[in-house]
Amino acid sequence: MTETQSCPLEILLKQISGQWTLYILWVLDTNGSQRFGELRRKVEGISTKVLTERLRLLESLELVHRHHEPTIPPQVTYTLTERGKELSGTLDRLYELAVRWYGTDPKAVV
Amino acid sequence: MTETQSCPLEILLKQISGQWTLYILWVLDTNGSQRFGELRRKVEGISTKVLTERLRLLESLELVHRHHEPTIPPQVTYTLTERGKELSGTLDRLYELAVRWYGTDPKAVV
DNA sequence: CCGCATCCCTTCCGATACTG
DNA sequence: CAGTATCGGAAGGGATGCGG
C-alpha cells in the first residue's frame, strides 16, 4: 500500500517502456499529426494491434490526442499534446546518437 | 533476411526498451561507478535476477563495463562506457520532465 | 479506412531459495 | 558480496481474419 517513494524518472520510464512507445511519439513529432494508416506505414514493422494498443496508452497518458471524424470511411487523426511535444522534444539528442551509431536514416530529409 | 531499412532511432529504442534499462544507466551516471549491491538498492524495486539480466544486456551493447575483482568476498563494479555516458547524458531533459510531472525525487540532492 | 478479436509466442518481470 | 536457479505470471508483440 505505502507506495515506495521512487525517483520520478523511474516512474516515467516505466510508463513509456516498450519497444514502440517513444518511437511513435517521435514519428508524430517529426511528421506532425498523422492518420492511423500513415502512422502504421511510417512506424515500420509494427502491427495494427500493437499500434492501436500503444496509441491508447499514449492517449491515457495524455501525450497524444485522438480526433475521430465519423465520415465514411472514418478519419482518425493523432496529434501530440503539449505534454507529448515536451516528451518527444527530449528525443532529439537520442536521435542524433542513433544516427551516429547505426547510420543515417534512409528516410531522413537532408 | 533482407532487413527492413529502419530509422536508426527505431533500432536503438528497441535495444534499450524495457522498464529498467535506461534507469540503470541514469543511476550509474548520476552516482558514478557502482557495485552490484549499491545498484540494487538505488534501483528501487528491481530484483537481483532482473538487475543481472539488464546489466548483461547493457554490457553486450557496450554501454556498461563490468570490472570483477576476485577477492573474498568478490567485488564487482559497473561503470558507464563512453557510449553509455553519451546515452545517459540524453536523459537529463527527461529527468527534468519527470520531476515536473511527478514531483521531486526524494533522493535528489538539493 | 480504422480498427477489434483471436491465438500464440517471446520477453520481461517478480519472488524466493540457494551457492562460491 | 554477487550473483545463479527456478518458477510463475504479466506484459509486449506478431499474424491473421473480420466488422462498422
Side-chain angles (χ1 to χ4, degrees):
Chain A
M1 291 304 159
T2 46
E3 261 301 325
T4 309
Q5 274 295 23
S6 296
C7 173
L9 182 61
E10 183 178 335
I11 301 171
L12 177 59
L13 286 174
K14 174 162 185 167
Q15 291 183 336
I16 60 176
S17 65
Q19 183 183 161
W20 300 109
T21 318
L22 286 176
Y23 190 63
I24 294 170
L25 284 182
W26 171 256
V27 169
L28 279 172
D29 193 21
T30 55
N31 296 276
S33 296
Q34 297 282 302
R35 295 179 57 183
F36 186 87
E38 297 175 308
L39 221 36
R40 187 172 47 76
R41 280 185 296 277
K42 275 167 184 148
V43 182
E44 281 187 38
I46 200 170
S47 66
T48 65
K49 171 179 166 287
V50 174
L51 180 54
T52 304
E53 284 174 1
R54 298 289 94 187
L55 285 169
R56 295 281 181 276
L57 171 71
L58 291 170
E59 246 191 292
S60 76
L61 295 175
E62 294 180 280
L63 297 172
V64 160
H65 175 69
R66 179 176 188 264
H67 177 69
H68 176 228
E69 200 67 43
T71 53
I72 297 181
Q75 295 205 359
V76 182
T77 307
Y78 294 92
T79 311
L80 289 183
T81 63
E82 281 307 311
R83 276 197 163 213
K85 282 179 204 163
E86 287 189 285
L87 185 42
S88 65
T90 70
L91 299 175
D92 290 1
R93 295 192 46 209
L94 206 57
Y95 177 77
E96 297 302 328
L97 273 192
V99 170
R100 273 202 280 128
W101 294 354
Y102 301 106
T104 305
D105 184 355
K107 298 181 290 302
V109 183
V110 184
Chain B
M1 289 303 160
T2 47
E3 262 300 327
T4 309
Q5 273 295 22
S6 296
C7 172
L9 182 60
E10 183 178 336
I11 302 171
L12 177 58
L13 285 174
K14 173 162 185 166
Q15 291 183 335
I16 60 176
S17 66
Q19 184 182 160
W20 299 109
T21 318
L22 286 176
Y23 190 62
I24 293 170
L25 284 182
W26 171 256
V27 170
L28 279 172
D29 194 20
T30 55
N31 297 276
S33 296
Q34 297 282 302
R35 296 178 56 182
F36 186 86
E38 297 176 309
L39 222 35
R40 187 173 46 76
R41 280 185 295 276
K42 274 167 186 149
V43 182
E44 282 188 38
I46 201 170
S47 67
T48 65
K49 172 176 164 288
V50 174
L51 180 54
T52 303
E53 283 174 1
R54 298 289 93 186
L55 284 169
R56 295 281 182 275
L57 170 71
L58 291 169
E59 246 192 293
S60 77
L61 295 174
E62 295 181 281
L63 297 172
V64 161
H65 175 69
R66 178 176 187 266
H67 178 68
H68 176 227
E69 199 68 42
T71 51
I72 297 181
Q75 295 204 1
V76 181
T77 307
Y78 293 92
T79 311
L80 289 183
T81 63
E82 281 308 311
R83 276 198 163 212
K85 283 180 204 164
E86 286 189 286
L87 185 43
S88 65
T90 70
L91 298 175
D92 291 0
R93 295 192 47 209
L94 206 57
Y95 177 76
E96 298 302 328
L97 273 192
V99 169
R100 273 202 280 127
W101 294 353
Y102 302 106
T104 304
D105 184 354
K107 297 179 292 300
V109 182
V110 185

